[in-house]
Amino acid sequence: MPRGQVARALILSILLLSWVAAQQISGSITGTVKDSQQASILGAKVVLLSQQQGTTREVSTGTDGSFVLTQLQPGTYNLTVEAAGFKKFEQKDVKIFASDRLTLPEIVLSVGSLNETVTVEASAVQIQTASAERSGVLTNRQVLEVGLLSRSLFDLTRTLPGVITGNSTSGLGVGSINANGNRNNQNNYTLDGVTNMDTGSNGGSLASTNIDMIAEMKVITNSQPAEFGRASGAQIQVVTKGGGKDFHGTGYFFHRHEDLNANTWRNNIDGRARPFYRYNYAGFNIGGPAYIPGKLNRNKDKFFFFVGMEWQNQLIPQSLQNVTVPTALERQGDFSQTHDSAGFSPNVTILDPLNNRTQFPGNKIPTSRINQDGYKILNWYPQANALGKDPSYNYQTYASNQYPRREEVYRGDYNINDKWKTYARYIRNADETKMQYGQWNASYNMPLGPMSFGAPGWSFVANVTTVINPTLTNEFVYGSSRNDLHIYPVTDA
């Protein structure tokens, strides 16, 4: 490609970035290396090893013995420090969460030879000193081991201090969270650093992912850094899983059924059966090195992949609807037994507009006076099924919404060399609900005709991290998320 075209493409890419709202999910590690006399050690080699992918980053300490490693993807690392005349220092299981600014305790090297190693297997809880933020982190292990009624990752926020949530058996949304007294429409939700909020309502997300597809979730509840300037509520950062040097996979099936639940006391008294309440979730995910033995990615340290899919078939019960419909007598024009909601009968008077508004004899409309089109309209309404239970209604309905969904995630990581790393991730959702009582802007209190409400969405992000020199790195993030809301009738009836 000619240089002019390359330059124009680069300028266009930079301009496009102004339309993308994103924050970095990468973190950093800083520390200081000294000897036992508290003298700073210049030129000590600091190496950081990713436990997941086996890649390394290397820096040297400055004149004050300090070092900094920036643009680190969330994960678990091993840190080693070497200097001539001192024993090698190794600290295992250094954890970096989304946008962490981690300061390690002072590293003190002991006099000795480099073939001797001082290993720190565990350390005290590391305190966030680089910023004033208050946050909670849910790791992949916690995400998978905490028992959940639903498969919504937002249900996990119940475990964090300062967070109050709504109550739902079908899973919480981002708009159900109140953090430290902030409004639930002031939250912000990012996927791999790219905003995923539906700003039309400020209470929903554009694309969704389930708990088996995420590596961690971090919720900043107060004193957010300046990069989170869009909303004043909780800042929810979700990091998706990526492949590593070893293969890992999961297959699962979750099942819920109304026969496994007890009926409610009210239903038992009224003789109503349990409503359809069925959740069937099936899915899998697999990740690891992408390689061809002897030809591509031989050492399994360059290309990595992660793929996950989940199918959800649900019947979600709706609240009991108590309404009044035309009785069999009323459909024939006989209102002699018609009563009001207090049960007083007869107190509804039917007047004849063609006879000086006098009452029809016996409060009955002659069959010859009833319009045939009116009969057809009456047939749209169901027959009464709760006569005599309560004078305020004669019909009860307890229909369940049909809610099939599919979630897909695809991610690829490529470690080009020690200075260049990149990854791309794509999420796609199929989301369509057959709503028995209509949608919020066209609702009704009986199942006259189901409406289909769809909210399919997708999210894409690409990340390139470049180590320019030991003290300068650059992270390029491009992403976009979108959903499509639509409503249409399921049938032509």
Side-chain angles (χ1 to χ4, degrees):
M1 181 183 292
R3 291 184 179 180
Q5 294 183 14
V6 173
R8 285 192 293 271
L10 180 60
I11 293 172
L12 178 61
S13 299
I14 295 172
L15 291 175
L16 286 174
L17 288 179
S18 63
W19 295 94
V20 180
Q23 291 87 30
Q24 291 179 332
I25 60 169
S26 59
S28 65
I29 296 176
T30 58
T32 305
V33 181
K34 295 185 178 182
D35 62 17
S36 57
Q37 303 299 316
Q38 289 296 296
S40 300
I41 299 178
L42 170 65
K45 184 173 72 172
V46 181
V47 179
L48 192 69
L49 170 69
S50 169
Q51 291 186 6
Q52 181 182 13
Q53 296 185 348
T55 57
T56 60
R57 284 276 299 277
E58 180 180 328
V59 295
S60 298
T61 57
T63 56
D64 58 353
S66 65
F67 65 89
V68 58
L69 293 154
T70 59
Q71 271 67 52
L72 302 173
Q73 291 300 311
T76 304
Y77 297 85
N78 293 342
L79 180 81
T80 59
V81 181
E82 299 179 12
F86 295 93
K87 297 178 181 179
K88 180 181 179 180
F89 174 90
E90 181 179 13
Q91 182 168 342
K92 297 183 177 180
D93 300 329
V94 179
K95 299 182 184 298
I96 290 290
F97 301 113
S99 66
D100 265 0
R101 305 292 182 262
L102 182 63
T103 301
L104 295 177
E106 186 178 274
I107 298 173
V108 178
L109 300 185
S110 302
V111 175
S113 61
L114 283 176
N115 57 9
E116 298 178 277
T117 302
V118 176
T119 302
V120 178
E121 296 287 352
S123 61
V125 176
Q126 295 157 339
I127 300 176
Q128 168 68 273
T129 60
S131 70
E133 73 177 43
R134 293 182 62 85
S135 62
V137 176
L138 291 162
T139 64
N140 175 250
R141 180 175 179 180
Q142 292 170 309
V143 166
L144 294 179
E145 292 184 354
V146 173
L148 292 176
L149 182 60
S150 75
R151 297 276 293 162
S152 170
L153 59 91
F154 298 109
D155 281 5
L156 296 166
T157 59
R158 301 175 193 264
T159 64
L160 300 177
V163 175
I164 299 175
T165 64
N167 187 23
S168 172
T169 59
S170 59
L172 298 178
V174 64
S176 304
I177 299 169
N178 296 83
N180 288 332
N182 285 295
R183 295 183 178 183
N184 58 4
N185 64 354
Q186 287 298 307
N187 299 324
N188 190 35
Y189 168 35
T190 62
L191 265 175
D192 295 320
V194 176
T195 185
N196 195 42
M197 285 294 300
D198 183 345
T199 54
S201 64
N202 241 32
S205 54
L206 300 174
S208 65
T209 181
N210 62 72
I211 58 176
D212 280 279
M213 297 180 183
I214 68 173
E216 69 174 63
M217 179 171 67
K218 180 177 181 180
V219 182
I220 304 176
T221 59
N222 206 358
S223 301
Q224 298 90 340
E227 64 191 274
F228 301 100
R230 180 188 168 275
S232 61
Q235 303 293 333
I236 303 169
Q237 298 174 274
V238 173
V239 180
T240 57
K241 286 182 178 178
K245 58 185 178 181
D246 299 316
F247 286 103
H248 294 278
T250 303
Y252 52 86
F253 177 74
F254 294 92
H255 175 68
R256 273 195 265 170
H257 196 283
E258 68 271 8
D259 287 345
L260 303 175
N261 300 333
N263 206 354
T264 65
W265 177 86
R266 186 75 258 177
N267 282 353
N268 286 331
I269 291 297
D270 293 342
R272 281 191 304 273
R274 288 164 289 197
F276 291 134
Y277 180 79
R278 300 174 187 179
Y279 284 57
N280 294 298
Y281 289 9
F284 75 92
N285 59 71
I286 184 171
Y291 75 102
I292 300 175
K295 295 183 178 181
L296 176 67
N297 197 20
R298 299 177 182 177
N299 298 324
K300 304 179 183 179
D301 60 354
K302 291 291 186 181
F303 298 98
F304 307 93
F305 76 95
F306 180 84
V307 175
M309 295 185 184
E310 181 172 290
W311 295 266
Q312 305 172 2
N313 289 308
Q314 308 166 66
L315 286 175
I316 304 175
Q318 303 302 298
S319 59
L320 179 65
Q321 304 289 329
N322 297 318
V323 296
T324 299
V325 297
T327 64
L329 290 175
E330 290 169 348
R331 293 168 193 259
Q332 299 172 10
D334 186 349
F335 291 86
S336 62
Q337 304 300 316
T338 300
H339 58 77
D340 62 11
S341 60
F344 296 109
S345 173
N347 70 341
V348 177
T349 302
I350 306 300
L351 304 179
D352 186 351
L354 302 181
N355 191 19
N356 296 321
R357 295 181 56 81
T358 60
Q359 183 177 359
F360 281 105
N363 223 26
K364 300 177 181 180
I365 303 174
T367 303
S368 61
R369 297 283 300 277
I370 299 178
N371 187 290
Q372 294 303 308
D373 291 333
Y375 274 126
K376 296 177 182 178
I377 293 174
L378 286 176
N379 288 332
W380 288 349
Y381 291 90
Q383 296 287 341
N385 63 4
L387 291 170
K389 287 187 176 183
D390 190 298
S392 63
Y393 62 85
N394 62 11
Y395 176 78
Q396 291 183 314
T397 175
Y398 215 10
S400 298
N401 288 346
Q402 297 179 24
Y403 190 21
R405 298 188 75 251
R406 187 180 72 251
E407 295 179 342
E408 305 172 13
V409 60
Y410 308 92
R411 174 166 170 159
D413 293 68
Y414 179 29
N415 296 324
I416 303 171
N417 53 44
D418 291 341
K419 297 184 180 297
W420 288 81
K421 295 178 174 61
T422 183
Y423 76 82
R425 187 267 302 144
Y426 177 66
I427 289 176
R428 183 175 64 177
N429 302 147
D431 189 300
E432 201 78 33
T433 309
K434 182 180 179 182
M435 309 190 77
Q436 300 293 340
Y437 302 101
Q439 177 52 15
W440 55 270
N441 59 352
S443 61
Y444 28 85
N445 55 9
M446 62 184 71
L448 295 175
M451 299 289 288
S452 182
F453 174 68
W458 56 264
S459 173
F460 170 78
V461 64
N463 181 297
V464 179
T465 301
T466 309
V467 180
I468 299 174
N469 59 51
T471 60
L472 181 63
T473 58
N474 179 72
E475 184 176 12
F476 172 89
V477 182
Y478 173 81
S480 180
S481 299
R482 179 173 175 169
N483 67 357
D484 174 29
L485 306 182
H486 55 261
I487 304 173
Y488 57 83
V490 175
T491 66
D492 293 331

PDB file of all heavy atoms in Angstrom, residues 144-170:
ATOM      1  N   LEU A 144     -17.471 -18.386  39.612  1.00  0.00           N
ATOM      2  CA  LEU A 144     -17.952 -19.733  39.331  1.00  0.00           C
ATOM      3  C   LEU A 144     -18.426 -20.465  40.586  1.00  0.00           C
ATOM      4  O   LEU A 144     -19.278 -21.348  40.507  1.00  0.00           O
ATOM      5  CB  LEU A 144     -16.850 -20.556  38.656  1.00  0.00           C
ATOM      6  CG  LEU A 144     -16.429 -20.085  37.256  1.00  0.00           C
ATOM      7  CD1 LEU A 144     -15.321 -20.965  36.719  1.00  0.00           C
ATOM      8  CD2 LEU A 144     -17.612 -20.083  36.307  1.00  0.00           C
ATOM      9  N   GLU A 145     -17.890 -20.113  41.760  1.00  0.00           N
ATOM     10  CA  GLU A 145     -18.205 -20.860  42.971  1.00  0.00           C
ATOM     11  C   GLU A 145     -19.362 -20.271  43.771  1.00  0.00           C
ATOM     12  O   GLU A 145     -19.944 -20.956  44.608  1.00  0.00           O
ATOM     13  CB  GLU A 145     -16.958 -20.962  43.861  1.00  0.00           C
ATOM     14  CG  GLU A 145     -15.868 -21.837  43.253  1.00  0.00           C
ATOM     15  CD  GLU A 145     -14.686 -22.007  44.179  1.00  0.00           C
ATOM     16  OE1 GLU A 145     -14.664 -21.350  45.247  1.00  0.00           O
ATOM     17  OE2 GLU A 145     -13.787 -22.801  43.853  1.00  0.00           O
ATOM     18  N   VAL A 146     -19.687 -19.006  43.556  1.00  0.00           N
ATOM     19  CA  VAL A 146     -20.802 -18.413  44.284  1.00  0.00           C
ATOM     20  C   VAL A 146     -22.116 -18.930  43.700  1.00  0.00           C
ATOM     21  O   VAL A 146     -22.327 -18.898  42.486  1.00  0.00           O
ATOM     22  CB  VAL A 146     -20.751 -16.868  44.207  1.00  0.00           C
ATOM     23  CG1 VAL A 146     -22.008 -16.260  44.821  1.00  0.00           C
ATOM     24  CG2 VAL A 146     -19.524 -16.352  44.942  1.00  0.00           C
ATOM     25  N   GLY A 147     -22.999 -19.436  44.569  1.00  0.00           N
ATOM     26  CA  GLY A 147     -24.285 -19.949  44.112  1.00  0.00           C
ATOM     27  C   GLY A 147     -25.200 -18.818  43.665  1.00  0.00           C
ATOM     28  O   GLY A 147     -25.366 -17.824  44.372  1.00  0.00           O
ATOM     29  N   LEU A 148     -25.777 -18.963  42.475  1.00  0.00           N
ATOM     30  CA  LEU A 148     -26.654 -17.933  41.921  1.00  0.00           C
ATOM     31  C   LEU A 148     -27.982 -18.547  41.509  1.00  0.00           C
ATOM     32  O   LEU A 148     -28.027 -19.648  40.971  1.00  0.00           O
ATOM     33  CB  LEU A 148     -26.014 -17.276  40.689  1.00  0.00           C
ATOM     34  CG  LEU A 148     -24.775 -16.409  40.909  1.00  0.00           C
ATOM     35  CD1 LEU A 148     -24.241 -15.946  39.569  1.00  0.00           C
ATOM     36  CD2 LEU A 148     -25.099 -15.213  41.779  1.00  0.00           C
ATOM     37  N   LEU A 149     -29.065 -17.814  41.751  1.00  0.00           N
ATOM     38  CA  LEU A 149     -30.361 -18.264  41.291  1.00  0.00           C
ATOM     39  C   LEU A 149     -30.489 -18.095  39.780  1.00  0.00           C
ATOM     40  O   LEU A 149     -31.136 -18.880  39.107  1.00  0.00           O
ATOM     41  CB  LEU A 149     -31.473 -17.485  42.005  1.00  0.00           C
ATOM     42  CG  LEU A 149     -32.918 -17.877  41.655  1.00  0.00           C
ATOM     43  CD1 LEU A 149     -33.162 -19.337  42.009  1.00  0.00           C
ATOM     44  CD2 LEU A 149     -33.906 -16.981  42.378  1.00  0.00           C
ATOM     45  N   SER A 150     -29.844 -17.064  39.260  1.00  0.00           N
ATOM     46  CA  SER A 150     -29.875 -16.814  37.828  1.00  0.00           C
ATOM     47  C   SER A 150     -28.458 -16.927  37.272  1.00  0.00           C
ATOM     48  O   SER A 150     -27.519 -17.237  37.993  1.00  0.00           O
ATOM     49  CB  SER A 150     -30.429 -15.420  37.539  1.00  0.00           C
ATOM     50  OG  SER A 150     -29.466 -14.436  37.851  1.00  0.00           O
ATOM     51  N   ARG A 151     -28.305 -16.658  35.986  1.00  0.00           N
ATOM     52  CA  ARG A 151     -26.987 -16.669  35.354  1.00  0.00           C
ATOM     53  C   ARG A 151     -26.508 -15.247  35.080  1.00  0.00           C
ATOM     54  O   ARG A 151     -25.603 -15.038  34.289  1.00  0.00           O
ATOM     55  CB  ARG A 151     -27.061 -17.441  34.035  1.00  0.00           C
ATOM     56  CG  ARG A 151     -27.431 -18.915  34.187  1.00  0.00           C
ATOM     57  CD  ARG A 151     -26.237 -19.751  34.506  1.00  0.00           C
ATOM     58  NE  ARG A 151     -25.313 -19.792  33.383  1.00  0.00           N
ATOM     59  CZ  ARG A 151     -24.039 -20.146  33.480  1.00  0.00           C
ATOM     60  NH1 ARG A 151     -23.532 -20.444  34.662  1.00  0.00           N
ATOM     61  NH2 ARG A 151     -23.267 -20.163  32.427  1.00  0.00           N
ATOM     62  N   SER A 152     -27.102 -14.274  35.751  1.00  0.00           N
ATOM     63  CA  SER A 152     -26.732 -12.879  35.532  1.00  0.00           C
ATOM     64  C   SER A 152     -25.501 -12.530  36.358  1.00  0.00           C
ATOM     65  O   SER A 152     -25.469 -12.743  37.580  1.00  0.00           O
ATOM     66  CB  SER A 152     -27.896 -11.958  35.921  1.00  0.00           C
ATOM     67  OG  SER A 152     -27.480 -10.608  35.922  1.00  0.00           O
ATOM     68  N   LEU A 153     -24.504 -11.958  35.693  1.00  0.00           N
ATOM     69  CA  LEU A 153     -23.292 -11.577  36.422  1.00  0.00           C
ATOM     70  C   LEU A 153     -23.567 -10.439  37.397  1.00  0.00           C
ATOM     71  O   LEU A 153     -22.841 -10.263  38.379  1.00  0.00           O
ATOM     72  CB  LEU A 153     -22.169 -11.222  35.448  1.00  0.00           C
ATOM     73  CG  LEU A 153     -22.404 -10.085  34.444  1.00  0.00           C
ATOM     74  CD1 LEU A 153     -21.957  -8.751  35.010  1.00  0.00           C
ATOM     75  CD2 LEU A 153     -21.660 -10.368  33.146  1.00  0.00           C
ATOM     76  N   PHE A 154     -24.620  -9.642  37.155  1.00  0.00           N
ATOM     77  CA  PHE A 154     -24.915  -8.539  38.059  1.00  0.00           C
ATOM     78  C   PHE A 154     -25.451  -9.022  39.404  1.00  0.00           C
ATOM     79  O   PHE A 154     -25.422  -8.274  40.385  1.00  0.00           O
ATOM     80  CB  PHE A 154     -25.906  -7.564  37.412  1.00  0.00           C
ATOM     81  CG  PHE A 154     -25.383  -6.934  36.163  1.00  0.00           C
ATOM     82  CD1 PHE A 154     -25.886  -7.281  34.922  1.00  0.00           C
ATOM     83  CD2 PHE A 154     -24.353  -6.006  36.222  1.00  0.00           C
ATOM     84  CE1 PHE A 154     -25.394  -6.708  33.770  1.00  0.00           C
ATOM     85  CE2 PHE A 154     -23.848  -5.436  35.070  1.00  0.00           C
ATOM     86  CZ  PHE A 154     -24.366  -5.779  33.841  1.00  0.00           C
ATOM     87  N   ASP A 155     -25.938 -10.254  39.478  1.00  0.00           N
ATOM     88  CA  ASP A 155     -26.342 -10.807  40.764  1.00  0.00           C
ATOM     89  C   ASP A 155     -25.159 -10.900  41.723  1.00  0.00           C
ATOM     90  O   ASP A 155     -25.333 -10.876  42.944  1.00  0.00           O
ATOM     91  CB  ASP A 155     -26.943 -12.202  40.570  1.00  0.00           C
ATOM     92  CG  ASP A 155     -28.384 -12.151  40.085  1.00  0.00           C
ATOM     93  OD1 ASP A 155     -28.866 -11.036  39.822  1.00  0.00           O
ATOM     94  OD2 ASP A 155     -29.021 -13.209  39.970  1.00  0.00           O
ATOM     95  N   LEU A 156     -23.951 -11.014  41.166  1.00  0.00           N
ATOM     96  CA  LEU A 156     -22.757 -11.141  41.999  1.00  0.00           C
ATOM     97  C   LEU A 156     -22.453  -9.866  42.776  1.00  0.00           C
ATOM     98  O   LEU A 156     -21.742  -9.901  43.779  1.00  0.00           O
ATOM     99  CB  LEU A 156     -21.554 -11.505  41.129  1.00  0.00           C
ATOM    100  CG  LEU A 156     -21.630 -12.875  40.435  1.00  0.00           C
ATOM    101  CD1 LEU A 156     -20.575 -12.972  39.353  1.00  0.00           C
ATOM    102  CD2 LEU A 156     -21.445 -13.991  41.450  1.00  0.00           C
ATOM    103  N   THR A 157     -22.970  -8.732  42.319  1.00  0.00           N
ATOM    104  CA  THR A 157     -22.683  -7.473  43.014  1.00  0.00           C
ATOM    105  C   THR A 157     -23.307  -7.445  44.398  1.00  0.00           C
ATOM    106  O   THR A 157     -22.935  -6.609  45.225  1.00  0.00           O
ATOM    107  CB  THR A 157     -23.196  -6.274  42.203  1.00  0.00           C
ATOM    108  OG1 THR A 157     -24.616  -6.386  42.005  1.00  0.00           O
ATOM    109  CG2 THR A 157     -22.525  -6.220  40.839  1.00  0.00           C
ATOM    110  N   ARG A 158     -24.247  -8.355  44.681  1.00  0.00           N
ATOM    111  CA  ARG A 158     -24.852  -8.418  46.016  1.00  0.00           C
ATOM    112  C   ARG A 158     -23.798  -8.698  47.086  1.00  0.00           C
ATOM    113  O   ARG A 158     -24.001  -8.381  48.265  1.00  0.00           O
ATOM    114  CB  ARG A 158     -25.899  -9.526  46.073  1.00  0.00           C
ATOM    115  CG  ARG A 158     -27.048  -9.421  45.092  1.00  0.00           C
ATOM    116  CD  ARG A 158     -27.911 -10.681  45.212  1.00  0.00           C
ATOM    117  NE  ARG A 158     -28.863 -10.842  44.137  1.00  0.00           N
ATOM    118  CZ  ARG A 158     -30.132 -10.464  44.194  1.00  0.00           C
ATOM    119  NH1 ARG A 158     -30.586  -9.878  45.280  1.00  0.00           N
ATOM    120  NH2 ARG A 158     -30.948 -10.672  43.178  1.00  0.00           N
ATOM    121  N   THR A 159     -22.685  -9.329  46.694  1.00  0.00           N
ATOM    122  CA  THR A 159     -21.658  -9.713  47.665  1.00  0.00           C
ATOM    123  C   THR A 159     -20.717  -8.576  48.019  1.00  0.00           C
ATOM    124  O   THR A 159     -19.882  -8.735  48.916  1.00  0.00           O
ATOM    125  CB  THR A 159     -20.829 -10.892  47.112  1.00  0.00           C
ATOM    126  OG1 THR A 159     -20.114 -10.454  45.936  1.00  0.00           O
ATOM    127  CG2 THR A 159     -21.721 -12.056  46.734  1.00  0.00           C
ATOM    128  N   LEU A 160     -20.818  -7.432  47.338  1.00  0.00           N
ATOM    129  CA  LEU A 160     -19.874  -6.346  47.550  1.00  0.00           C
ATOM    130  C   LEU A 160     -20.412  -5.346  48.569  1.00  0.00           C
ATOM    131  O   LEU A 160     -21.607  -5.045  48.580  1.00  0.00           O
ATOM    132  CB  LEU A 160     -19.594  -5.621  46.224  1.00  0.00           C
ATOM    133  CG  LEU A 160     -18.994  -6.486  45.118  1.00  0.00           C
ATOM    134  CD1 LEU A 160     -18.843  -5.674  43.839  1.00  0.00           C
ATOM    135  CD2 LEU A 160     -17.651  -7.064  45.540  1.00  0.00           C
ATOM    136  N   PRO A 161     -19.551  -4.828  49.445  1.00  0.00           N
ATOM    137  CA  PRO A 161     -20.005  -3.843  50.435  1.00  0.00           C
ATOM    138  C   PRO A 161     -20.450  -2.545  49.776  1.00  0.00           C
ATOM    139  O   PRO A 161     -19.878  -2.108  48.788  1.00  0.00           O
ATOM    140  CB  PRO A 161     -18.760  -3.628  51.302  1.00  0.00           C
ATOM    141  CG  PRO A 161     -17.603  -4.031  50.449  1.00  0.00           C
ATOM    142  CD  PRO A 161     -18.114  -5.122  49.576  1.00  0.00           C
ATOM    143  N   GLY A 162     -21.513  -1.961  50.311  1.00  0.00           N
ATOM    144  CA  GLY A 162     -22.013  -0.688  49.799  1.00  0.00           C
ATOM    145  C   GLY A 162     -22.960  -0.808  48.635  1.00  0.00           C
ATOM    146  O   GLY A 162     -23.444   0.197  48.128  1.00  0.00           O
ATOM    147  N   VAL A 163     -23.250  -2.042  48.195  1.00  0.00           N
ATOM    148  CA  VAL A 163     -24.109  -2.250  47.026  1.00  0.00           C
ATOM    149  C   VAL A 163     -25.452  -2.807  47.476  1.00  0.00           C
ATOM    150  O   VAL A 163     -25.525  -3.794  48.218  1.00  0.00           O
ATOM    151  CB  VAL A 163     -23.466  -3.215  46.016  1.00  0.00           C
ATOM    152  CG1 VAL A 163     -24.428  -3.522  44.871  1.00  0.00           C
ATOM    153  CG2 VAL A 163     -22.184  -2.614  45.460  1.00  0.00           C
ATOM    154  N   ILE A 164     -26.527  -2.154  47.045  1.00  0.00           N
ATOM    155  CA  ILE A 164     -27.891  -2.625  47.276  1.00  0.00           C
ATOM    156  C   ILE A 164     -28.508  -2.910  45.919  1.00  0.00           C
ATOM    157  O   ILE A 164     -28.394  -2.107  44.991  1.00  0.00           O
ATOM    158  CB  ILE A 164     -28.722  -1.568  48.036  1.00  0.00           C
ATOM    159  CG1 ILE A 164     -28.108  -1.284  49.410  1.00  0.00           C
ATOM    160  CG2 ILE A 164     -30.170  -2.030  48.187  1.00  0.00           C
ATOM    161  CD1 ILE A 164     -28.802  -0.181  50.168  1.00  0.00           C
ATOM    162  N   THR A 165     -29.165  -4.051  45.806  1.00  0.00           N
ATOM    163  CA  THR A 165     -29.715  -4.452  44.519  1.00  0.00           C
ATOM    164  C   THR A 165     -31.208  -4.705  44.640  1.00  0.00           C
ATOM    165  O   THR A 165     -31.764  -4.831  45.733  1.00  0.00           O
ATOM    166  CB  THR A 165     -29.036  -5.733  43.998  1.00  0.00           C
ATOM    167  OG1 THR A 165     -29.328  -6.812  44.897  1.00  0.00           O
ATOM    168  CG2 THR A 165     -27.537  -5.550  43.905  1.00  0.00           C
ATOM    169  N   GLY A 166     -31.848  -4.802  43.488  1.00  0.00           N
ATOM    170  CA  GLY A 166     -33.245  -5.195  43.438  1.00  0.00           C
ATOM    171  C   GLY A 166     -33.385  -6.679  43.686  1.00  0.00           C
ATOM    172  O   GLY A 166     -32.422  -7.383  43.994  1.00  0.00           O
ATOM    173  N   ASN A 167     -34.602  -7.176  43.542  1.00  0.00           N
ATOM    174  CA  ASN A 167     -34.883  -8.589  43.794  1.00  0.00           C
ATOM    175  C   ASN A 167     -35.551  -9.181  42.566  1.00  0.00           C
ATOM    176  O   ASN A 167     -36.625  -8.745  42.172  1.00  0.00           O
ATOM    177  CB  ASN A 167     -35.780  -8.743  45.017  1.00  0.00           C
ATOM    178  CG  ASN A 167     -35.971 -10.195  45.412  1.00  0.00           C
ATOM    179  OD1 ASN A 167     -35.138 -11.033  45.070  1.00  0.00           O
ATOM    180  ND2 ASN A 167     -37.042 -10.500  46.101  1.00  0.00           N
ATOM    181  N   SER A 168     -34.902 -10.140  41.956  1.00  0.00           N
ATOM    182  CA  SER A 168     -35.444 -10.749  40.750  1.00  0.00           C
ATOM    183  C   SER A 168     -34.985 -12.189  40.661  1.00  0.00           C
ATOM    184  O   SER A 168     -33.824 -12.497  40.914  1.00  0.00           O
ATOM    185  CB  SER A 168     -34.991  -9.980  39.502  1.00  0.00           C
ATOM    186  OG  SER A 168     -35.364 -10.658  38.337  1.00  0.00           O
ATOM    187  N   THR A 169     -35.914 -13.099  40.313  1.00  0.00           N
ATOM    188  CA  THR A 169     -35.553 -14.504  40.144  1.00  0.00           C
ATOM    189  C   THR A 169     -35.010 -14.785  38.754  1.00  0.00           C
ATOM    190  O   THR A 169     -34.462 -15.847  38.506  1.00  0.00           O
ATOM    191  CB  THR A 169     -36.774 -15.405  40.393  1.00  0.00           C
ATOM    192  OG1 THR A 169     -37.810 -15.046  39.485  1.00  0.00           O
ATOM    193  CG2 THR A 169     -37.265 -15.265  41.822  1.00  0.00           C
ATOM    194  N   SER A 170     -35.182 -13.842  37.836  1.00  0.00           N
ATOM    195  CA  SER A 170     -34.717 -14.049  36.467  1.00  0.00           C
ATOM    196  C   SER A 170     -33.404 -13.324  36.186  1.00  0.00           C
ATOM    197  O   SER A 170     -32.939 -13.321  35.057  1.00  0.00           O
ATOM    198  CB  SER A 170     -35.777 -13.583  35.469  1.00  0.00           C
ATOM    199  OG  SER A 170     -36.080 -12.216  35.655  1.00  0.00           O
TER     200      SER A 170
END
